[in-house]
Amino acid sequence: MSEQKTIYALGIVAHPDDESFLFAGTCLKLAAEGKNMAVICATKGEKGADRLKRKLSMAQMAKLRQLEGKKAAKIIKLSKLEFFNYPDGGLDRVDFLKLTARLAEKIEKYRPEIILTFGKEGISGHKDHIVIGKATITAVKRSKYKPQKILLASIPASAIKVFNKHLITRKVHLSHFSPQILKGVPDNNLLKIDIRKYAKLKHMTLKAHESQFLPSFALAALQKQECFEVIVP
């Protein structure tokens, strides 16, 4: 992957595999248009439960998930993938101002036209997702450089019942999730990007995160479109 400093789109997520679920199709679409993208991942995913039931320490899991993230990054043609070292499952306990300052520095460095991150519900209600979404928006406010728009990955309200039904299979560490009832975002408030052309590649990207991948969770909707609430800074 190149070391370009100017990036068209910058994704800011909490864990390795977030990028694949949220915007793998959008990454591929941008790459096809000749636009580059980078991703910053706040944690290394050390708290992730290994779906293959290997007995891994948190250090081993962190190393494994970084390798999986790099494999996925190649598939979706990222220009850069960068990992911070914040605690998985603990972003709600870190110094929020220091986190936003660090993200603001990266925004000023890469000068992206578009930033992609989590919406207010964090897709699944995961506290790390919610925090990194809020931190990204705050970082944009603090940054001397302003992107043209922020895309907040969201689940359409029309699909929230089906999504919630499947979500329970992903909630390994229940303490990491907010008790709020997920409502999604009204469909008419969303930018919906058609990614059907890239469905197979997105599926490959999800499978690259082998330790986390659940075949039964490969919802058809995730391979048809990616949905975002749009904010103009």
Side-chain angles (χ1 to χ4, degrees), residues 7-79:
I7 298 292
Y8 176 78
L10 176 64
I12 301 178
V13 298
H15 314 104
D17 82 354
D18 288 343
E19 82 297 324
S20 297
F21 276 103
L22 300 187
F23 43 67
T26 299
C27 287
L28 289 161
K29 183 175 184 295
L30 291 175
E33 295 170 354
K35 299 169 181 174
N36 61 343
M37 182 166 177
V39 167
I40 294 172
C41 188
T43 81
K44 296 176 181 177
E46 67 274 8
K47 288 284 186 70
D50 182 19
R51 305 290 178 178
L52 299 181
K53 302 186 184 302
R54 293 163 290 188
K55 295 181 179 180
L56 303 176
S57 67
M58 286 198 295
Q60 289 172 322
M61 179 59 79
K63 184 177 181 180
L64 175 62
R65 294 197 68 186
Q66 287 178 86
L67 290 173
E68 291 174 345
K70 291 174 183 178
K71 183 177 179 181
K74 289 181 180 179
I75 297 171
I76 58 177
K77 302 180 180 179
L78 292 184
S79 294

Side-chain angles (χ1 to χ4, degrees), residues 187-232:
D187 289 51
N188 58 3
N189 291 347
L190 293 173
L191 167 66
K192 297 182 178 181
I193 298 178
D194 187 335
I195 62 163
R196 287 173 293 183
K197 182 177 179 180
Y198 309 103
K200 290 183 179 180
L201 282 174
K202 176 162 185 173
H203 192 68
M204 286 177 58
T205 307
L206 292 168
K207 290 178 70 175
H209 296 278
E210 185 180 28
S211 68
Q212 307 299 301
F213 180 68
L214 275 180
S216 62
F217 189 69
L219 295 175
L222 291 175
Q223 296 178 64
K224 291 181 179 178
Q225 61 183 14
E226 291 171 347
C227 301
F228 304 93
E229 192 172 8
V230 181
I231 292 179
V232 178

Side-chain angles (χ1 to χ4, degrees), residues 160-184:
I160 200 66
K161 288 185 179 180
V162 174
F163 182 74
N164 278 329
K165 180 180 178 181
H166 287 268
L167 183 61
I168 192 63
T169 63
R170 303 289 296 181
K171 289 188 176 183
V172 180
H173 300 288
L174 293 178
S175 62
H176 293 177
F177 291 82
S178 168
Q180 69 182 359
I181 298 174
L182 299 178
K183 298 179 180 179

